[in-house]
Amino acid sequence: MSKKLHWEDFEVGFFGSFGPITVTREDILDFAREFDPQPMHLDEDAARDSMLGGLAASGWQCCAFLTRLMVDGWLLNSTSMGSPGVEEVKWVTPLRPGDVITLKATITSKRASRSRPEMGICFFDLEMVNQRGECVMTLKNTQLYERRHHEVEPSAETAKGGRA
Amino acid sequence: MIYVTYLEDLPLRAPVVLGSHTFTAEEVKRFARKYDPQPFHMSEEGAARSHFGRLCASGWHSAAAWMQALVAHRSESAAERTARGEPVAQLGVSPGFRDLHWYKPVYVEDTITFRSEVIGTRVSKSRPTWGIADYYCTGTNQNGDVAISFISTCFIERRPANRGCSEPLP
């Protein structure tokens, strides 16, 4: 049997802390130049005068780093079938050059897929924290994983797949 | 003009095309190596063995490309308004977003067209010179299928005469 994490292996409650990743100034500038070239993500002086109060990462880069923490933390060691979406993201504290970020993951609930017996669903509350213990962002996310025993009783109807 | 006019001048429920982007294999893999190194985003071979079947972009790459389109669109709109002698409202930070759906994978060579529309406006309670707008944002592929959608929230400047007033918007 595969040692990878299946849906059955995820338990409701605190799941773990993952990381850290150190975010460099070059990381922030590289991402901003390509995807979010606003002065507050590119220029120290403009950033100081903005709501961010200093150079800070694009919020979308924060989401990307949060994903990296999940991928390295457990997704690569899992039967992940991806994610249909994100219920809510709050950007709480700016992510600054030199920040060291970790991820706290909690599973709030889980259920089997109604339409796909090979798949189960986990609902995660994710929090990115910096080296000062401040919450950088929160993210509520639905994640799909393979189930261990779905292959026991396949049927023509369920093999067609479909929405969760 | 939905990212360059004052809060009071934002048209409701009027979708605007921000721009389009065609995702190349090189950039899909580059984004994945840095932020989302799962097999279906990293290589054609890994994707072929996955439930996606073909190499596809990280969902956050799709979202970041929407931001890229927004910033480019805003620059163009701001230049047009400046050329006409019209004011350009400042766009503030975003406190977050909600209801993000990845409906379809974004495969390599897909062309995604990004749109936004204003679905609600209000005055900021904590920063009375600013308003807050909610935007319904989508990315649609070349087959007309919505691949990604979400509701983003953004601070945007109020008309100068209204700043500091707490009364509701007209």
Side-chain angles (χ1 to χ4, degrees):
Chain A
M1 185 177 288
S2 167
K3 288 200 173 88
K4 288 192 167 188
L5 290 169
H6 287 66
W7 176 76
E8 288 83 354
D9 301 320
F10 293 92
E11 292 178 11
V12 172
F14 184 68
F15 180 60
S17 292
F18 304 93
I21 291 176
T22 300
V23 178
T24 68
R25 183 184 176 80
E26 212 42 51
D27 285 335
I28 290 174
L29 296 177
D30 278 349
F31 187 96
R33 276 191 285 260
E34 183 167 6
F35 295 111
D36 197 349
Q38 300 187 82
M40 57 192 171
H41 303 313
L42 284 173
D43 180 84
E44 201 70 64
D45 292 331
R48 204 174 302 118
D49 294 336
S50 79
M51 280 186 187
L52 294 178
L55 192 70
S58 167
W60 299 105
Q61 188 178 21
C62 298
C63 294
F65 272 124
L66 186 147
T67 299
R68 182 65 197 247
L69 288 163
M70 288 198 294
V71 171
D72 292 345
W74 73 89
L75 286 177
L76 285 181
N77 184 38
S78 78
T79 58
S80 171
M81 299 176 75
S83 168
V86 170
E87 288 74 60
E88 181 187 79
V89 160
K90 289 181 180 170
W91 290 304
V92 180
T93 304
L95 179 62
R96 310 283 189 194
D99 276 0
V100 180
I101 49 173
T102 52
L103 179 68
K104 291 181 185 172
T106 301
I107 298 168
T108 55
S109 65
K110 60 184 284 190
R111 66 170 172 82
S113 167
R114 294 186 187 102
S115 58
R116 298 177 62 175
E118 79 279 18
M119 190 170 84
I121 304 168
C122 294
F123 299 91
F124 278 82
D125 269 7
L126 301 157
E127 182 183 16
M128 183 190 285
V129 179
N130 67 20
Q131 69 279 15
R132 290 177 296 278
E134 298 162 334
C135 171
V136 175
M137 66 176 288
T138 60
L139 185 150
K140 292 180 187 293
N141 181 214
T142 306
Q143 299 183 5
L144 311 175
Y145 294 94
E146 286 177 24
R147 299 184 61 176
R148 280 194 196 280
H149 306 299
H150 70 272
E151 67 277 13
V152 175
E153 293 178 89
S155 75
E157 184 60 34
T158 52
K160 287 175 190 167
R163 294 196 54 164
Chain B
M1 292 295 167
I2 61 173
Y3 290 102
V4 289
T5 52
Y6 295 123
L7 183 79
E8 295 84 347
D9 302 323
L10 293 175
L12 280 177
R13 292 285 178 191
V16 170
V17 173
L18 302 176
S20 295
H21 185 78
T22 302
F23 288 74
T24 68
E26 185 277 326
E27 65 188 9
V28 163
K29 293 176 190 175
R30 182 160 50 86
F31 189 98
R33 276 196 298 273
K34 180 74 178 170
Y35 298 110
D36 195 353
Q38 301 189 75
F40 33 86
H41 302 317
M42 292 284 278
S43 72
E44 285 80 0
E45 301 75 33
R49 287 192 297 269
S50 77
H51 58 285
F52 288 111
R54 285 187 289 137
L55 185 63
C56 57
S58 167
W60 296 113
H61 191 177
S62 314
W66 170 86
M67 190 70 212
Q68 187 181 42
L70 187 166
V71 176
H73 173 82
R74 185 170 188 279
S75 295
E76 284 173 26
S77 302
E80 288 168 20
R81 283 183 74 82
T82 302
R84 290 198 298 267
E86 295 167 353
V88 176
Q90 277 195 68
L91 189 64
V93 298
S94 166
F97 62 86
R98 63 186 190 272
D99 297 339
L100 185 148
H101 298 276
W102 289 300
Y103 289 112
K104 297 267 180 187
V106 172
Y107 290 109
V108 164
E109 299 307 327
D110 274 2
T111 298
I112 306 295
T113 300
F114 296 103
R115 292 180 177 81
S116 289
E117 64 182 286
V118 180
I119 57 171
T121 59
R122 59 194 181 277
V123 173
S124 168
K125 290 192 182 86
S126 59
R127 300 169 188 263
T129 61
W130 291 87
I132 297 171
D134 286 328
Y135 297 87
Y136 176 63
C137 311
T138 58
T140 306
N141 67 21
Q142 64 280 1
N143 304 318
D145 296 323
V146 175
I148 180 173
S149 79
F150 55 95
I151 296 171
S152 86
T153 301
C154 213
F155 281 95
I156 192 155
E157 267 191 312
R158 303 176 68 192
R159 279 187 199 156
N162 291 350
R163 291 175 199 164
C165 304
S166 55
E167 66 261 34
L169 295 173

